Amino acid sequence: MNRLFTPVSIGGMTLKNRIVMAPTSMMLPVEEKISFLGRVADGGAALIYIGDMGVEPAFSPGGINLLTEEGLEGCRRVIERLHRGGAKAGAQLYLWDYDLPRLRRMAEAGASREEIRREKNKDPNAYIGSLSEARIEAIIRSFAQAAQTARQVGFDLVQLLGGNLLNSFSSGYINRRTDTFGGSVEKRTALPCAVVRAVRQAVGGDFPVEYKLAVHDDAIPCGQGGPDVGEIGVFVRALEQAGVDAFMVALSNRADINDTVPPRNHPIFREEGCFLYVSDEVKRHTTLPVSCAGKISSPAFAQTLIDTGRLDYIAMSRQLVADPYWVQKVASGREDTIRRCLFCNAGCLKSLLGGQPFHCVLDRQPHETPSSPHR
């Protein structure tokens, strides 16, 4: 039996199979985003995350968010579409780790996207160190309120993004605070765990809360965000005690997104399942469900990961962008018709960084679309 298509539980929620679409940033109008994610749902993915859902207002919250009436209506519409396609809907909650008012002023003055991106990454140490404890308490409340809203509007799960602000507070390089929220590795777990506890209280004990643990690797070296691979055990145990139900694992490099989303010619992360060594370390410290993304596209390889217990569910992004019907094709024995991701980053990531409409370079090629009543 192919265990890819067996159920798995995350907290009080059961997924129909072991393939989920990882949170994916995509610059698309609301209608196009709902249409695309609807195809992924029709294609068989068990859970689809809506990424980049800020817990406080940003430049423009867009048409799917938890902060405005328009955004909540966008949430209802995408949730209804995913449910109609047979998928659960997850909300990824995050908060940035930079001086947003300054970036707004830069944008108003005509700064380019690249200039703004460089400013974001320039000096997170100073920003993290400048936050008062009162401001930190307000941030914790913002996460809790957003999670409560996500449940009320119909999401099936919330994922707390251990990137951006939580990532920087977790990092021994970036977090140089000397109070409750910084210093030792145990103190660097304080803010992530406080957010988890507040979210758990807000959504109740039966609602799934997943934590995306983004780490850096001193051995490579690769970035400064998040805990080091050697600190994973401390973070996993603390987060589990705080109340998370599952972990999604990723690598973090705030200085170079190509380490986080590695292209096929990456000097280190060339192979399929390139981040599995990190999720293996997480699995050593928890019995909770664990997922990981990172160049996973082969059905046989994905099945092996589940059969051997290396992962409990598998997160895909670029492969499901290339072929939203991957799951359906594998389940029906039509693996030879899968449109395989090239991991070129020439369409999806390049379009995002350049402010262009999100797309895949393979969209130029003929694409078989399985029959679906929801298309």
Side-chain angles (χ1 to χ4, degrees):
M1 180 179 68
N2 191 334
R3 293 188 65 239
L4 281 176
F5 303 105
T6 59
V8 61
S9 294
I10 302 175
M13 176 186 69
T14 299
L15 299 180
K16 63 182 181 181
N17 63 51
R18 308 296 182 106
I19 303 297
V20 305
M21 184 174 188
T24 304
S25 300
M26 48 181 72
M27 294 186 65
L28 286 174
V30 173
E31 294 296 334
E32 292 182 32
K33 182 179 289 189
I34 293 174
S35 176
F36 172 77
L37 294 177
R39 290 196 297 276
V40 179
D42 293 343
L47 167 66
I48 298 170
Y49 301 80
I50 308 303
D52 306 324
M53 303 197 79
V55 301
E56 294 181 355
F59 282 99
S60 172
I64 301 176
N65 67 77
L66 298 166
L67 302 170
T68 67
E69 285 302 319
E70 177 191 5
L72 292 175
E73 181 57 27
C75 289
R76 295 183 189 99
R77 292 180 56 218
V78 72
I79 292 167
E80 187 278 331
R81 180 63 183 89
L82 299 186
H83 286 173
R84 182 155 47 93
K88 302 289 187 183
Q92 183 194 61
L93 309 183
Y94 87 105
L95 189 63
W96 44 88
D97 56 353
Y98 43 80
D99 185 347
L100 185 62
R102 174 174 169 75
L103 296 185
R104 282 200 185 106
R105 291 192 295 271
M106 288 178 61
E108 291 166 358
S112 68
R113 292 178 62 87
E114 179 59 25
E115 288 172 327
I116 291 174
R117 189 187 68 80
R118 285 200 301 268
E119 184 66 24
K120 284 181 181 179
N121 294 323
K122 187 172 69 175
D123 191 14
N125 313 69
Y127 180 75
I128 294 301
S130 72
L131 297 177
S132 68
E133 293 200 14
R135 172 64 181 133
I136 292 172
E137 291 300 325
I139 288 169
I140 294 169
R141 290 192 297 272
S142 293
F143 272 97
Q145 180 59 60
Q148 185 178 56
T149 302
R151 177 168 193 174
Q152 290 171 344
V153 81
F155 281 103
D156 303 290
L157 167 148
V158 292
Q159 180 193 87
L160 305 178
L161 175 56
N164 297 81
L165 185 90
L166 298 182
N167 187 267
S168 289
F169 266 84
S170 301
S171 169
Y173 289 100
I174 296 173
N175 184 353
R176 298 173 184 170
R177 299 176 69 101
T178 57
D179 60 0
T180 305
F181 296 100
S184 67
V185 59
E186 289 79 12
K187 285 188 174 182
R188 285 186 274 116
T189 71
L191 180 58
C193 288
V195 168
V196 171
R197 287 191 294 270
V199 165
R200 174 57 66 204
Q201 184 175 6
V203 299
D206 61 333
F207 190 75
V209 177
E210 179 187 65
Y211 193 90
K212 184 171 183 180
L213 185 62
V215 306
H216 75 269
D217 188 348
D218 275 344
I220 294 177
C222 180
Q224 300 180 349
D228 179 61
V229 172
E231 299 171 333
I232 282 176
V234 176
F235 273 81
V236 167
R237 289 188 293 270
L239 290 163
E240 184 171 344
Q241 186 174 10
V244 302
D245 294 305
F247 292 96
M248 181 178 286
V249 186
L251 202 74
S252 172
N253 186 355
R254 61 175 297 121
D256 189 350
I257 196 170
N258 285 299
D259 288 339
T260 304
V261 189
R264 61 186 174 188
N265 61 349
H266 192 281
I268 299 170
F269 304 121
R270 293 173 178 261
E271 303 301 320
E272 185 168 22
C274 55
F275 298 147
L276 287 169
Y277 78 102
V278 183
S279 59
D280 287 344
E281 182 64 18
V282 172
K283 290 284 279 184
R284 288 184 59 239
H285 299 283
T286 187
T287 59
L288 293 176
V290 174
S291 72
C292 184
K295 291 186 174 179
I296 299 174
S297 64
S298 161
F301 184 65
Q303 181 175 344
T304 298
L305 295 178
I306 299 300
D307 287 345
T308 59
R310 290 187 75 181
L311 294 177
D312 300 287
Y313 55 116
I314 293 170
M316 292 182 178
S317 177
R318 287 176 289 177
Q319 177 54 62
L320 291 179
V321 171
D323 192 339
Y325 299 92
W326 187 97
V327 178
Q328 189 181 108
K329 290 178 178 180
V330 175
S332 60
R334 294 182 298 112
E335 297 176 8
D336 59 334
T337 68
I338 292 173
R339 197 166 66 166
R340 297 294 181 93
C341 177
L342 303 175
F343 299 112
C344 63
N345 288 352
C348 53
L349 185 60
K350 186 176 180 180
S351 64
L352 180 67
L353 296 177
Q356 302 300 315
F358 184 82
H359 69 283
C360 175
V361 295
L362 296 178
D363 288 340
R364 305 188 193 113
Q365 301 178 9
H367 179 34
E368 176 195 357
T369 303
S371 173
S372 169
H374 307 302
R375 265 194 305 120

